[in-house]
């Protein structure tokens, strides 16, 4: 191995064969470090598997004899940073591959030597390792290749698979998913499917809806074929036909001009034959051009029908071929296809779902292509010599035939709907790639569950205003502007009850109230706070605000105070979201705080945890606590606690007590 040293001042020729050894979890894995941290959007797989809840000892390995001056290091896993320092003592002696290496243990000041590096990661993870100087500035940066991170517990793997199955489902059949994937361009249709269709110009965009539109247009054309055979649109056009002169019925100026242009059609006349005198000679026509009236099917309406069939055949063929053959379609998830360790990782689960969905749709596309080919072959014989046109460059013209003839009217509506898609959609996996962290996936799943529960209770987007959209916030150095891949503002109503929900709202320490969120931060610095959810309920008699935070953790871990920490995560959230926030509309603190846990534990529910001395009796009307939200759990109890729906006993506010919940 190279023997160049890396100093605290930052040598430019640091070894490119450093390695990080992770020991713990399910075993030991050595991860070679690569210089730089460029991202090309692709996966570069490293053999080995780490586990989500494993505790790992971290050691930095380097060539034997190499001197490392740096004393402090920073290890980042999917943007979560761990500041470490090297332990003093004898160097480790080990072998990496076939080479002898040395190394030292890395330790955290507040977490010791055994670290849960991958608690919020799954799928493929990449370590970024930085050498720091005395001031904590990075002087050299390395990265590892991608390594598979899986759930060590089968039950959590099943939960993740069910979460992914929901979020990668069909928005055309799920109202809550349509809201979730909306940007508000047209109600709840602007960004119709981030997962399958990507962003398109205000039209419903998913592969499923694209195939439905294609099928509807084919249905309209196939239903119109009998009418087209009997009464297809046509026009009478004059045509010229060269015939023997003896068959001509007339000879006038038109025929004479044709002969002047085609003198080869003249021959010397025989005696007694009627002839033309020219230059002292007599000539008779051997053939003449006769004008005839001809029925032509080359009209705009038929051009549109055949142009659609040609376009559909082309797009469906391309789509089916890409799904079946193009490996880039699954990038950056495609590298997991042959990875034996990915069966319980995000990539392994997502690939099974995505690949199954795609192959089903590819078969459907092939069937539609067969129908289009048969329809085009039949209509080409019924409507011969129709000029090919491009129907994608300009809107269709609604001609009198398209308006007044029933068969053509149906075809026009269906083809126009098909063309509203623009280019044919392909899978972009936008949301699938976005949620490379377990907590990110869990947040979006919780958002879906809340929307689904509200929709089932009869809530719908509020009429007369922009009800469902992706709103932006003012960026700060810590919080970029609207990183959410989904809609984040929802205004819903049912009768007299109105519910507004914000996903990842920015609560500022000043007068800003972006996207209608009236909460304000009252202490703790100049940066905004961003709880996962803020929900405001207005039942006509008053307004109540609630803060929800999704935690991909066990419920009992949220009330535990760990070594090196002064308070539990529950107490930290109480201080940040209850004590440190006020509703500018009512002048009151939020009425409740709920932490939502995603991992299964021995005890899943803690109700009534907000019984702290500073709480007023008025605020005790609503309870706060910790509640599980995961596949198989009904979140309607949470709506009861917030007074959105009545409990089984008919109570409007407050919800069941801890005793009622059996806690």
């Amino acid at each position: 191995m190279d023997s160049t040293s890396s100093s605290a001042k930052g040598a430019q020729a640091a070894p490119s064969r450093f390695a990080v050894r992770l020991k713990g979890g399910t075993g030991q894995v050595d991860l070679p470090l690569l210089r730089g941290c460029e991202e090309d959007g692709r996966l570069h797989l490293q053999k080995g598997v780490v586990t989500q809840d494993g505790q790992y000892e971290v050691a930095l390995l380097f060539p034997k004899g190499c001197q490392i001056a740096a004393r402090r290091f920073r290890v980042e896993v999917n943007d979560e940073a761990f500041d470490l320092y090297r332990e003093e003592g004898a160097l480790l002696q080990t072998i990496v591959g076939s080479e002898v290496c040395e190394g030292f243990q890395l330790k955290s000041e507040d977490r010791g030597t055994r670290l849960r590096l991958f608690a919020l990661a799954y799928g493929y993870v990449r370590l970024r390792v930085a050498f720091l100087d005395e001031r904590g500035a990075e002087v050299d940066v390395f990265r590892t290749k991608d390594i598979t991170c899986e759930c060590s517990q089968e039950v959590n793997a099943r939960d993740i698979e069910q979460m992914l199955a929901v979020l990668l489902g069909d928005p055309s059949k799920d109202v809550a998913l349509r809201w979730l994937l909306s940007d508000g361009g047209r109600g709840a249709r602007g960004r119709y499917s981030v997962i399958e269709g990507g962003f398109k110009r205000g039209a419903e965009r998913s592969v499923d809806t694209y195939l439905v539109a294609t099928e509807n247009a084919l249905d309209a054309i196939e239903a119109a074929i009998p009418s087209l055979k009997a009464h297809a649109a046509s026009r009478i056009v004059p045509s010229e036909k060269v015939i023997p002169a003896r068959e001509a019925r007339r000879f006038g100026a038109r025929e004479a001009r044709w002969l002047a242009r085609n003198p080869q059609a003249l021959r010397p006349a025989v005696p007694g034959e009627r002839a033309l005198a020219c230059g002292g000679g007599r000539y008779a026509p051997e053939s003449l051009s006769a004008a005839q009236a001809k029925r032509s099917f080359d009209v705009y309406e038929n051009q549109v029908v055949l142009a659609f069939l040609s376009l559909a055949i082309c797009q469906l063929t391309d789509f089916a071929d890409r799904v079946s053959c193009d490996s880039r379609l699954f990038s950056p998830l495609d590298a997991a296809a042959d990875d034996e360790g990915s069966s319980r990782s995000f990539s392994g689960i997502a690939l099974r779902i995505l690949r199954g969905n795609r192959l089903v749709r590819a078969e459907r596309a092939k069937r539609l292509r067969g129908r289009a080919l048969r329809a085009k072959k039949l209509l080409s014989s019924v409507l011969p010599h129709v000029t090919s046109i491009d129907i994608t460059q300009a809107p269709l013209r609604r001609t009198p035939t398209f308006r007044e003839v029933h068969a053509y009217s149906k075809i026009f509506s269906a083809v126009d709907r098909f063309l509203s898609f623009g280019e044919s959609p392909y899978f972009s996996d936008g949301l699938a790639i976005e949620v490379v962290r377990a907590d990110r996936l869990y947040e979006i799943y919780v958002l879906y569950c809340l929307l689904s529960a509200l929709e089932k209770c009869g809530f719908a987007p509020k009429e007369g205003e922009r009800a469902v959209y992706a709103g932006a916030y003012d960026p700060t150095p810590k919080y970029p502007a609207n990183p959410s891949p989904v809609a984040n503002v929802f205004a819903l109503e049912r009768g007299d009850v109105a519910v507004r929900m914000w996903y990842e709202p920015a609560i500022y320490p000043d007068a800003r109230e972006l996207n209608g969120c009236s909460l304000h931060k009252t202490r703790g610095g100049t940066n905004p706070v961003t709880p996962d959810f803020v929900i405001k309920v207005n039942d006509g008699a008053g307004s109540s605000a609630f803060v929800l935070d999704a935690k991909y953790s066990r419920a009992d871990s949220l009330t535990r105070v760990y070594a090196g920490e002064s308070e539990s995560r529950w107490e930290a959230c109480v201080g940040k979201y209850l004590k440190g926030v006020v509703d500018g509309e009512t002048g009151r603190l939020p009425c409740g705080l709920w932490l939502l846990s995603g991992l299964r534990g021995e005890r899943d529910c803690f109700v009534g945890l907000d019984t702290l001395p500073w709480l007023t009796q008025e605020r005790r009307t609503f309870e706060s606590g910790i509640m599980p939200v995961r596949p198989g759990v009904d979140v309607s109890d949470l709506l009861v606690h917030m007074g959105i729906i009545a409990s089984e006993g008919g109570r409007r506010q407050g919800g069941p007590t801890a005793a009622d919940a059996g806690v």
Side-chain angles (χ1 to χ4, degrees):
M1 300 181 77
D2 298 335
S3 58
T4 308
S5 65
S6 174
S7 68
K9 295 182 180 180
Q12 295 298 319
S16 60
R17 287 183 287 172
F18 286 137
V20 168
R21 171 168 289 178
L22 303 178
K23 186 176 181 181
T26 58
Q28 175 179 292
V29 59
D30 293 332
L31 305 177
L33 296 179
L34 309 176
R35 179 170 297 283
C37 55
E38 296 80 15
E39 298 287 347
D40 57 7
R42 300 174 57 191
L43 288 174
H44 303 275
L45 282 184
Q46 162 76 33
K47 289 293 184 182
V49 177
V50 295
T51 58
Q52 196 176 33
D53 57 355
Q55 296 186 4
Y56 290 90
E57 296 179 353
V58 183
L60 180 67
L61 307 180
F62 46 86
K64 186 175 178 63
C66 177
Q67 300 298 316
I68 306 296
R71 316 293 297 178
R72 300 171 61 193
F73 305 85
R74 178 174 294 127
V75 176
E76 292 185 12
V77 182
N78 286 359
D79 298 328
E80 185 175 13
F82 299 83
D83 286 333
L84 310 175
Y85 66 93
R86 59 185 289 183
E87 280 194 313
E88 301 297 337
L91 294 176
L92 303 174
Q93 304 293 323
T94 186
I95 295 178
V96 177
S98 59
E99 299 185 67
V100 178
C101 296
E102 297 177 327
F104 45 76
Q105 195 82 27
L106 298 182
K107 184 177 181 179
S108 171
E109 293 183 356
D110 56 349
R111 307 185 192 186
T113 58
R114 297 184 65 82
L115 306 173
R116 294 190 64 195
L117 295 173
F118 311 105
L120 298 179
Y122 67 106
Y124 289 122
V125 295
R126 180 179 298 184
L127 272 65
R128 181 181 183 273
V129 180
F131 289 29
L132 309 179
D133 61 16
E134 292 87 349
R135 300 183 302 275
E138 297 180 352
V139 296
D140 218 342
V141 177
F142 301 88
R143 65 174 176 81
T144 69
K145 291 184 178 180
D146 299 285
I147 185 169
T148 300
C149 179
E150 66 175 24
C151 296
S152 57
Q153 298 182 16
E154 186 67 34
V155 63
N156 290 328
R158 289 197 301 270
D159 284 347
I160 286 179
E161 182 164 5
Q162 292 180 54
M163 292 180 198
L164 284 168
V166 168
L167 297 180
L168 300 179
D170 180 6
S172 65
K173 301 177 181 177
D174 192 326
V175 174
L177 196 56
R178 285 206 297 276
W179 295 347
L180 180 75
L181 298 172
S182 168
D183 70 352
R186 292 186 179 180
R189 299 184 178 185
R191 182 165 38 155
Y192 194 72
S193 181
V194 178
I195 304 163
E196 297 171 346
F199 300 90
K200 294 294 175 182
R201 299 179 297 275
E204 295 179 354
R205 290 293 302 177
S206 75
V207 171
D208 287 305
T209 50
Y210 168 78
L211 294 176
V212 167
T214 306
E215 186 171 18
N216 290 341
L218 287 175
D219 289 342
I221 291 175
E222 289 173 346
I225 286 178
S227 296
L228 297 182
K229 285 182 177 180
H231 307 289
S234 62
R235 60 192 176 103
I236 302 300
V237 296
S239 65
E240 291 187 353
K241 183 178 181 181
V242 178
I243 61 175
R246 64 179 179 272
E247 297 179 6
R249 298 182 179 180
R250 64 183 296 272
F251 185 88
R254 179 183 175 281
E255 287 75 18
R257 287 193 296 270
W258 184 85
L259 284 175
R261 293 193 302 269
N262 300 274
Q264 71 276 8
L266 294 173
R267 60 174 174 77
V270 298
E273 185 179 13
R274 296 178 64 181
L276 299 173
C278 182
R282 291 169 56 81
Y283 300 92
E286 190 170 20
S287 58
L288 286 173
S289 172
Q292 293 183 337
K294 181 182 178 181
R295 186 184 185 190
S296 172
F297 295 98
D298 190 19
V299 295
Y300 178 70
E301 293 80 9
N302 295 334
Q303 291 171 355
V304 168
V305 173
L306 290 175
F308 160 74
L309 292 173
S310 298
L311 179 63
I313 290 169
C314 180
Q315 290 187 351
L316 292 169
T317 300
D318 187 32
F319 171 75
D321 290 345
R322 282 169 60 93
V323 172
S324 302
C325 305
D326 190 350
S327 62
R328 291 176 300 172
L329 188 65
F330 298 100
S331 177
L333 296 179
D334 58 335
D338 300 321
D339 184 5
E340 296 178 357
S342 68
S343 61
R344 286 189 294 175
S345 70
F346 162 78
S347 298
I349 295 170
L351 264 180
R352 290 199 301 273
I353 297 171
L354 290 173
R355 186 166 285 158
N357 290 347
R358 289 175 180 174
L359 292 178
V360 168
R361 295 178 176 106
E363 290 301 318
R364 185 179 179 186
K366 290 177 181 178
R367 291 194 297 271
L368 293 176
R369 180 184 59 187
R371 290 176 57 187
L373 285 169
R374 290 190 294 271
K376 184 179 180 182
K377 182 178 179 180
L378 179 58
L379 289 179
S380 295
S381 62
V382 175
L383 309 172
H385 311 299
V386 174
T387 304
S388 176
I389 64 171
D390 186 353
I391 58 175
T392 63
Q393 298 303 314
L396 294 183
R397 303 197 312 270
R398 199 175 186 92
T399 63
T401 300
F402 275 140
R403 290 196 304 268
E404 299 167 6
V405 180
H406 180 74
Y408 280 101
S409 177
K410 293 291 186 182
I411 292 175
F412 178 88
S413 299
V415 173
D416 188 57
R417 169 67 177 157
F418 169 85
L419 292 176
S420 69
F421 281 81
E423 297 178 359
S424 60
Y426 297 114
F427 300 95
S428 65
D429 301 327
L431 184 58
I433 303 306
E434 176 71 24
V435 288
V436 293
R437 290 166 56 98
D439 58 342
R440 186 64 157 169
L441 168 67
Y442 182 61
E443 289 172 9
I444 297 177
Y445 176 75
V446 169
L447 175 58
Y448 167 81
C449 289
L450 292 172
L451 292 174
S452 181
L454 289 169
E455 190 271 331
K456 290 177 181 176
C457 292
F459 284 86
K462 196 170 184 178
E463 296 184 0
E465 68 174 86
R466 194 181 181 201
V468 179
Y469 63 95
Y473 295 90
D474 289 345
T476 67
K478 187 176 181 181
Y479 299 96
N482 190 31
S484 173
V486 295
N488 55 14
V489 181
F490 306 87
L492 310 176
E493 63 180 356
R494 184 193 66 181
D496 296 333
V497 181
V499 173
R500 280 189 173 271
M501 179 163 60
W502 295 267
Y503 170 50
E504 290 190 329
I507 301 176
Y508 296 96
D510 50 39
R512 282 176 289 181
E513 294 184 355
L514 298 186
N515 300 309
C517 183
S518 59
L519 269 60
H520 299 270
K521 179 181 174 182
T522 58
R523 60 183 181 178
T526 58
N527 271 328
V529 294
T530 55
D532 291 329
F533 307 97
V534 168
I535 296 179
K536 292 194 70 174
V537 184
N538 192 323
D539 59 1
S543 177
S544 306
F546 301 87
V547 178
L548 283 65
D549 217 39
K551 303 290 187 184
Y552 191 66
S553 306
R554 292 187 299 272
D556 52 6
S557 71
L558 300 177
T559 59
R560 188 180 307 159
V561 180
Y562 290 91
E565 298 178 351
S566 60
E567 58 184 1
S568 67
R569 282 186 284 176
W570 164 258
E571 292 169 330
C573 288
V574 167
K576 182 163 56 171
Y577 298 137
L578 286 185
K579 295 181 179 180
V581 170
V582 66
D583 187 350
E585 182 180 344
T586 63
R588 298 182 301 173
L589 299 174
C591 292
L593 168 68
W594 287 93
L595 301 189
L596 311 176
S597 65
L599 289 178
R600 299 174 184 266
E602 294 182 0
R603 188 181 182 191
D604 268 350
C605 192
F606 295 80
V607 181
L609 286 178
D610 66 346
T611 53
L612 300 175
W614 54 272
L615 288 175
T616 64
Q617 185 61 39
E618 176 188 8
R619 291 202 45 248
R620 293 178 193 273
T621 303
F622 295 96
E623 291 181 313
S624 298
I626 301 170
M627 182 172 290
V629 175
R630 57 174 181 264
V633 175
D634 185 3
V635 300
S636 60
D637 287 345
L638 187 59
L639 303 185
V640 172
H641 283 296
M642 292 186 288
I644 297 176
I645 61 175
S647 64
E648 292 183 0
R651 285 174 294 176
R652 178 66 182 173
Q653 294 182 339
T657 64
D660 296 333
V663 179

